[in-house]
């Protein structure tokens, strides 16, 4: 679905992520929370059940870990820019 009034371009501020073992639409995007830019990970809803074997589950765990690291990286960079201004 990925609505969010998306406009492609260098300032779109949205990173769409493809997970290896599931087809859930996943993206990282900035939101203003308590007056501060905060990066948020969104997993869009699924209409079907998700059944994974151990290999697919490990891939999902690795993907989610990498996604958490990406979110932290983006937040650190954003915080540095906010602090500098």
């Amino acid at each position: 679905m990925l609505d969010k009034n998306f406009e492609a371009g260098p300032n779109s501020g949205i990173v769409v992520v493809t997970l290896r073992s599931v087809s859930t639409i996943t993206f990282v995007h900035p939101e203003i929370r308590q007056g501060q830019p905060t990066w948020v990970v969104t997993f869009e809803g699924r209409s079907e059940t998700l059944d994974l074997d151990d290999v697919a589950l490990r891939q999902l765990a690795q993907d989610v870990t990498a996604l958490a690291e990406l979110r932290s990286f983006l937040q650190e960079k954003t915080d540095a820019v906010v602090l500098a201004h």
Side-chain angles (χ1 to χ4, degrees), residues 35-74:
Q36 298 296 318
T38 302
W39 286 89
V40 177
V41 176
T42 298
F43 297 90
E44 290 200 345
R46 300 177 51 88
S47 59
E48 67 275 352
T49 302
L50 178 61
D51 296 315
L52 303 175
D53 62 16
D54 60 331
V55 172
L57 186 57
R58 283 188 180 96
Q59 284 179 336
L60 180 58
Q62 291 169 353
D63 289 349
V64 170
T65 297
L67 187 55
E69 291 173 4
L70 172 61
R71 187 249 165 241
S72 293
F73 172 80
L74 293 170

Side-chain angles (χ1 to χ4, degrees), residues 2-18:
L2 191 63
D3 188 4
K4 297 283 187 186
N5 299 321
F6 179 72
E7 293 182 24
N11 297 316
S12 64
I14 191 166
V15 180
V16 179
V17 178
T18 301

